[in-house]
Amino acid sequence: MRALWFLVALCIAFPAHAVDLSGQFVQGGLVVGQAAPGSMVTLDGLGVDVAANGAFVFGFGRDAKVKAQLVVTGPDGGREVRDLSVAAQTYKIQHIDGLPERKVTPAPEDLKRIQDDNAKIAAVRALSTPKTHFLSGFVWPVTGPISGVFGSQRILNGEPKNPHNGVDVAAPTGTPIVAPAAGVVVLVHDDMFYTGKTVMIDHGLGLTSVYAHMNSIAVADGQAVAQGAPLGTVGASGRVTGAHLHWGLTWKGTHLDPKLAAGSMPAENAQN
Ligand SMILES: [Zn+2]
């Protein structure tokens, strides 16, 4: 009986957290949260969209600060402040040689096309639809050796370029690609300058993903996809040296590491 009263007293003194967070508290990591419906959420002062059921999602960029503060204001006005520690990653330099020179230093006549491609991609990344498809969780869209990791500084044909903003999985041309999480297809493009045949998926609340260098596309713009639904096949279109899938995951313009969302590559296909 005394133990029971002790437990009751403990629960009153330390109420269960009204906010649940699960994910990877590391640079490039994705975190899914649950608060009371009607809550408002900010991350370091910036608004985080919250679904009607109280679910939300956010992530930490490649160079995110190692401390972040999440503030959840409940529908009753009560505030819960979470000081988050974000583990730092170390990034490698990756040299890729043998790319067609025009794909590294575009010709003047390519620039308009690149701008058009970038505008279409940026429009998708600016979406924040009030959906929670991301609650399906993430699996690998293709399994195989990882040939390019997130965040590595890239030197293409000897020229320093932007860090790699996704993960590359090597697989033969024609290997099926599946949707790693539920969502809605919001971009289908047959021939982007850098990414070739390209598909993008909206997973809700500002979280989107991209599939690049495809050989064939099996989905249409506006199509809803369940986790595991076929998207098309691996190819070597766009700026590549060989067949692979480039998979990117972006939250509100911040690139995240898809590998952290999907977890370890299934062992039979992992490199080494
Ligand atoms: Zn890539």
Side-chain angles (χ1 to χ4, degrees):
M1 198 62 187
R2 272 179 64 186
L4 181 65
W5 281 113
F6 178 73
L7 198 65
V8 169
L10 201 68
C11 289
I12 292 167
F14 302 99
H17 281 298
V19 178
D20 280 326
L21 299 176
S22 64
Q24 310 292 325
F25 296 84
V26 56
Q27 288 173 339
L30 176 74
V31 177
V32 171
Q34 179 66 50
S39 296
M40 293 202 312
V41 179
T42 61
L43 180 69
D44 288 333
L46 296 172
V48 175
D49 300 320
V50 181
N53 65 1
F56 58 96
V57 67
F58 60 92
F60 305 108
R62 176 188 191 269
D63 302 307
K65 288 182 287 177
V66 296
K67 299 241 175 271
Q69 190 174 70
L70 190 81
V71 177
V72 179
T73 307
D76 58 357
R79 269 162 53 98
E80 183 169 333
V81 177
R82 292 280 191 95
D83 289 309
L84 309 175
S85 292
V86 182
Q89 298 271 44
T90 52
Y91 299 104
K92 292 182 174 163
I93 292 177
Q94 184 182 24
H95 290 264
I96 300 174
D97 296 315
L99 286 163
E101 197 51 42
R102 190 167 164 183
K103 294 283 181 186
V104 176
T105 308
E109 59 265 38
D110 296 327
L111 295 178
K112 174 76 174 77
R113 186 174 153 208
I114 292 167
Q115 279 173 3
D116 287 350
D117 292 350
N118 288 346
K120 290 188 176 97
I121 292 168
V124 168
R125 288 177 175 159
L127 291 173
S128 185
T129 48
K131 300 289 184 187
T132 56
H133 304 297
F134 56 83
L135 292 176
S136 69
F138 283 83
V139 297
W140 285 94
V142 166
T143 55
I146 292 173
S147 54
V149 297
F150 174 82
S152 53
Q153 182 64 54
R154 295 197 133 179
I155 318 258
L156 307 182
N157 291 2
E159 271 191 58
K161 294 286 181 182
N162 289 335
H164 189 225
N165 59 17
V167 62
D168 293 335
V169 182
T173 292
T175 303
I177 301 167
V178 301
V184 174
V185 175
V186 282
L187 182 145
V188 170
H189 199 293
D190 249 3
D191 188 20
M192 284 188 158
F193 184 78
Y194 289 121
T195 56
K197 281 195 198 319
T198 306
V199 168
M200 295 183 82
I201 298 178
D202 176 8
H203 302 289
L205 301 186
L207 189 69
T208 63
S209 58
V210 64
Y211 308 82
H213 314 306
M214 295 167 74
N215 183 59
S216 64
I217 294 175
V219 287
D221 199 359
Q223 185 177 332
V225 288
Q227 185 182 60
L231 299 181
T233 59
V234 172
S237 56
R239 185 174 71 183
V240 298
T241 54
H244 71 278
L245 174 69
H246 170 96
W247 175 28
L249 186 63
T250 304
W251 172 69
K252 291 189 158 214
T254 297
H255 300 305
L256 309 178
D257 184 354
K259 182 176 192 293
L260 292 170
S264 310
M265 180 71 74
E268 68 272 23
N269 283 304
Q271 202 167 25
N272 304 321

